[in-house]
Every structure is written in C-alpha cells, then in structure tokens.
Amino acid sequence: MKTTKKMLALLLAAAMILAMTACGSSSDSSTDTTAAADDTTAAVEDTTGEAEDSTDEATEAEEGSEAADTENQSTSSEAPTLTSTEEVNIIWSHNASETSSGHQVALKFKERIEELSDGKITVTIYPNGQLGTVTENDQAMHDGTIQILSGTAGSTTDASLSYFDAPNLVNSDEEALELFGRGTELREMTEEIYEGLGMKILPFMPSGFREVTSNVEIRSYEELAGLDIRTMENTVSMEYWSDWGCNPTPLAFSELYIALQQGLVDTQENTYDTIVSSNLYEQQKYVINTNHAVMWSGVYINLDFFNSLPEDYQELITWIWEYELDEVSYEMAMEANEEALQTMIDAGLEVIDFADEDYVKMREAASPAYDLIRESVGDEIMDKVMAALE
C-alpha cells in the first residue's frame, strides 16, 4: 500500500513539472523545474528503498522457512539420544571372509554403534565361521550365545523360509528389492516369520545372484546335466540341481576350497563377491551366469536379547540400519560383485552367459522344487509370493 501511494506522488510531481515548464517564465520555470525534479528523485528513491525493504523481508522470510525445513529434516534423521548407561557387548558371527562386503558392513555397524553410544554398546565380530558352520551359528543364535547373525535367508534357517530358495524367481536384484523391500507385504510377512523363530530382522536385501563357477565348459542348460556340484546344505537347493540333471553334493562352506582343489567336485555356486573373497576362483576356469538364485543377505538379532535392551538402545540399533546402513549395504554388495567379476576376468576365467531360453527351461524344469517349497511354507505364503511376482 505504501508503495502505491508513493507512485501516485511521483506521477503528480511529474505532472507539475510539465505544467510549470509550459506556463512559467524561463527563469522561474528552470528553478521550479529543478526543485520539482529534486522532489521527484526523492520520491523515486523512497519508492525504491521501500521496494528493496519489501524484497529483503520476503527473502529473509523465505530463507527462514528453508532453514526451518532443513532443521526439521535434520531432526527427523538424527540419531536417538541415549539416557541409559548400561554396558552391553554384542557378539556377531558370520561365515563370510574378512574381505567380503558383508564383513565390511559389520565393521561399519560396530563403528557407528560404539561411536553413538559413547562406548556403552560394543560389538565383537567373528568372521570366517570362527564360531561354527551356518547351521551351528543358527543354533547358537536360538540359544542366545550369539546375539547377531548375518548371512543368507532360506530353508537353511528354517523350512518356513524356503521361498527364498526358489530358483529363477526374479530376473534382477532390483526386482528382488521391489518384492521384499521395507514396507512391502512380503517383507512384513518375512519379519513375522523371523520373529516367530526368535529373531528380529535389521537389514534384509539382495546381494547378487548365485552363479556357477566350474572346471567344465558349460554353454547351455542341457550341458548342466552330469555335473558334480557343491550345493548349500538345504533340501530345496539339492532338489533343483537334481531336477537339472546334476549330482548335488552338500558340503560345509569351510570345506569347499579343498574339495575343488582335490577334484571332489568340479563346480560350485555363489555370488561373485563370495567366490573371490574366499579365493574359490583360483581353482576354476569358467564363470557361468546361471542367475539361478538371489543371495539374500540379512542381519538378524536375537529377539529376546533385543527386547531385553533399554528402549533407547533398541531405537539406536534400528535407526542405524534404517537411516545409515540399509542403502550403503546394498550399494556395497553390488559394487563388490562388479569388482569381483572383473577380478575373475583378469585372472583368466572365461565368462559364459546362457541364452534367454535356457533360463526359461531352468524355471520349468525346477517345478518339483517349487512343489517342495509349497509343501514347506504352505499355500497361503506361496500364493502371496507368486501373486507379487505377477
């Protein structure tokens, strides 16, 4: 409103100048004109000043709003403040090597939880199966002697999770993440199953496909027949390799390198990262991209132990994963697989891709494995999985 009044004053002043120029003498006109011009200039400066003040106020208001938004965003992602003083040590066991992306993620969690708790919560990590095989670690988790366990999901943990062993279920890690990412129906269903087993899921994500490495050249689905392959120690995995005409041999992971070295098996299957970080590729000639199963990487904490912690400790543990390490874990796994594949190529292994029709044949031939999964998990769960795929 003030700006509008000043503009009117400016226009009136300009009109007076014109009038005096037309009617007065040259001497009077010059004097009056100069005075009027001075008034006009002052009016313009006042108007400009008020306009600048108005702009500055608007800018300050906008900057204040942005600062408030930034503060709110920062607050929403700030780590919970701890008031508890109890000292807690968490034992974390896994069977991957110390160079694996899974172990590097474990180290990141250890660093963050100890930093944010000022050392009140500490983590002791045992890699390389130091505390036992996958099966033995699962039992130790149930017994409470291990508080955190990381590794793959599937029937090795419990038959009710066999749907994670389904061969050729998806075509990419992105598809897998869409199925079981945070907030999805299948993720919530899986969390409930784990809690029924006495474990709480912290992060849970795909970490690459299990692929085949071999000393035998395999260029099509049909050429899988007759292979002596080391498989995981679970019935579903043994079933689908049998469906494909192979001779599955379940071995503990710790025995695999020597088995390949001594020729007890010609072939094995794991993610690129696992193959390289465990040096399995040193005993192999070919990488065959069968894309047959997604390797699901999860971190699980004993539910009774978790519930026994002070509430602020519980909040800090879950906050670190959701806001700091979920995405980092996934990206590290993908990067590790890319680097591992290049390592094998540099070492002279030949990479073989199957044709699209081979993957279709594998899925069709594995129908007995899908029937076995359905028997293990029940129709309701398996129907939900298949519906989500559609």
Side-chain angles (χ1 to χ4, degrees):
M1 183 65 72
K2 290 181 179 179
T3 300
T4 302
K5 290 181 178 178
K6 287 292 186 180
M7 289 299 295
L8 289 173
L10 178 61
L11 292 173
L12 289 172
M16 289 171 63
I17 292 171
L18 293 174
M20 285 186 291
T21 301
C23 302
S25 64
S26 60
S27 175
D28 293 341
S29 175
S30 175
T31 302
D32 293 341
T33 300
T34 300
D38 289 342
D39 290 341
T40 303
T41 301
V44 170
E45 289 174 350
D46 287 344
T47 304
T48 303
E50 288 187 4
E52 288 175 349
D53 290 343
S54 177
T55 302
D56 290 342
E57 290 172 0
T59 301
E60 288 173 2
E62 184 177 353
E63 289 174 350
S65 176
E66 290 175 353
D69 290 343
T70 301
E71 184 177 353
N72 289 337
Q73 291 170 2
S74 176
T75 301
S76 67
S77 60
E78 285 179 357
T81 301
L82 299 187
T83 57
S84 300
T85 58
E86 178 183 347
E87 293 187 357
V88 175
N89 181 58
I90 298 173
I91 297 176
W92 181 336
S93 177
H94 66 79
N95 288 71
S97 73
E98 292 175 75
T99 59
S100 67
S101 62
H103 183 67
Q104 301 311 307
V105 170
L107 292 176
K108 284 184 177 294
F109 175 73
K110 171 182 171 65
E111 176 186 356
R112 291 300 285 151
I113 195 75
E114 292 180 356
E115 176 186 355
L116 294 173
S117 70
D118 292 327
K120 290 188 286 290
I121 305 174
T122 57
V123 180
T124 305
I125 305 170
Y126 293 91
N128 288 314
Q130 293 176 17
L131 298 185
T133 65
V134 172
T135 303
E136 290 169 340
N137 279 341
D138 283 341
Q139 185 59 51
M141 165 70 85
H142 289 300
D143 294 341
T145 55
I146 292 174
Q147 286 76 52
I148 289 184
L149 182 65
S150 56
T152 188
S155 55
T156 303
T157 302
D158 191 81
S160 61
L161 296 165
S162 296
Y163 52 92
F164 286 110
D165 297 325
N168 302 102
L169 186 69
V170 294
N171 298 314
S172 68
D173 292 295
E174 291 76 16
E175 275 187 31
L177 194 58
E178 287 179 8
L179 283 179
F180 292 96
R182 285 187 186 272
T184 63
E185 181 182 11
L186 293 184
R187 172 62 171 268
E188 292 173 356
M189 177 186 76
T190 301
E191 289 175 348
E192 290 176 3
I193 293 174
Y194 267 97
E195 288 181 5
L197 298 171
M199 292 179 277
K200 176 180 176 61
I201 292 176
L202 295 174
F204 190 78
M205 62 199 63
S207 58
F209 279 100
R210 300 180 72 90
E211 310 287 11
V212 165
T213 61
S214 180
N215 289 322
V216 179
E217 185 176 351
I218 306 163
R219 297 196 175 274
S220 68
Y221 160 69
E222 286 78 11
E223 292 180 5
L224 289 172
L227 282 179
D228 294 322
I229 184 170
R230 179 270 176 183
T231 66
M232 293 186 294
E233 299 173 274
N234 72 58
T235 55
V236 174
S237 179
M238 293 177 66
E239 175 62 41
Y240 62 70
W241 284 111
S242 295
D243 294 339
W244 296 334
C246 299
N247 302 313
T249 302
L251 286 173
F253 186 75
S254 58
E255 301 173 10
L256 179 53
Y257 185 92
I258 294 176
L260 291 170
Q261 188 179 51
Q262 296 180 349
L264 299 177
V265 291
D266 297 317
T267 308
Q268 69 84 44
E269 43 94 34
N270 267 295
T271 62
Y272 296 147
D273 179 37
T274 302
I275 295 167
V276 170
S277 63
S278 301
N279 298 318
L280 301 177
Y281 73 101
E282 295 176 351
Q283 305 298 327
Q284 304 278 255
K285 296 178 182 178
Y286 302 96
V287 179
I288 300 97
N289 289 326
T290 48
N291 297 347
H292 61 277
V294 171
M295 184 78 157
W296 284 93
S297 292
V299 176
Y300 321 98
I301 188 167
N302 179 284
L303 188 60
D304 288 338
F305 169 76
F306 181 80
N307 289 336
S308 72
L309 294 174
E311 186 174 344
D312 52 349
Y313 285 13
Q314 296 179 28
E315 291 176 357
L316 180 60
I317 290 171
T318 54
W319 181 90
I320 288 174
W321 287 108
E322 184 171 356
Y323 289 99
E324 288 195 353
L325 295 186
D326 250 21
E327 187 174 346
V328 170
S329 301
Y330 179 70
E331 291 175 352
M332 285 180 65
M334 297 301 105
E335 290 173 4
N337 280 319
E338 291 176 6
E339 292 173 1
L341 178 59
Q342 189 59 52
T343 296
M344 290 188 283
I345 292 172
D346 294 342
L349 277 71
E350 180 182 351
V351 179
I352 300 172
D353 290 310
F354 275 5
D356 289 343
E357 55 265 29
D358 286 318
Y359 301 122
V360 175
K361 292 176 183 177
M362 291 174 73
R363 173 68 180 270
E364 292 173 347
S367 58
Y370 274 82
D371 293 339
L372 180 61
I373 293 169
R374 185 173 286 274
E375 290 175 10
S376 299
V377 306
D379 289 335
E380 181 181 359
I381 291 177
M382 202 58 187
D383 286 346
K384 286 183 179 180
V385 173
M386 302 312 291
L389 286 173
E390 295 173 0

